[in-house]
Amino acid sequence: MTFYLESGSHPNKSGNHTIFLSLYHSGERKRIKTSVTIPIKFWDAGKERVKKTCPTAKQDNDELQRLLDKARTIERELNSQDRLTMLRFLDRF
C-alpha cells in the first residue's frame, strides 16, 4: 500500500492535487481517492507524506496515517481468515 500524488493530473480549482492510496493484490491494482488535496510542491514522494512546510501538514498526514492504519487492519483481518481478495478489501474499506 502506497500513497502517491498524480503530478501529471490537472489540479483542482484551488491549484491542489489529490493524494491517492494505491493497493496491489494478486496482480490487481486499485486506487482510492483520499480527501487530502495539496499543492504539488508540498508532496514528499520519498516519504509518501505531506511536507512539514505545508500549513495543513499535521492534519493531512494524520488523515493519511488513519487511512493506512484502516487498510492494514482490514488486510490483517482478511488474511487471518484466508479471505483476502481485492473485492472483499474494498467492500470493507
Side-chain angles (χ1 to χ4, degrees), residues 59-76:
Q59 303 93 296
D60 293 340
N61 286 327
D62 286 351
E63 175 62 7
L64 295 178
Q65 189 61 51
R66 186 189 71 75
L67 292 170
L68 187 59
D69 290 346
K70 179 180 178 180
R72 287 181 175 157
T73 298
I74 293 168
E75 179 184 40
R76 216 177 9 257

Side-chain angles (χ1 to χ4, degrees), residues 6 12 15 17 21 25-27 29 32 38 47-48 54-55 58 64-66 71 73 75 77 81 89-90:
E6 282 192 338
N12 64 17
H17 292 263
L21 174 61
H25 179 69
S26 297
R29 177 181 175 219
I32 298 174
I38 58 167
K47 294 181 180 178
E48 297 179 8
C54 180
K58 170 90 170 92
L64 295 178
Q65 189 61 51
R66 186 189 71 75
T73 298
E75 179 184 40
E77 290 171 357
Q81 301 165 5
F89 180 92
L90 294 172

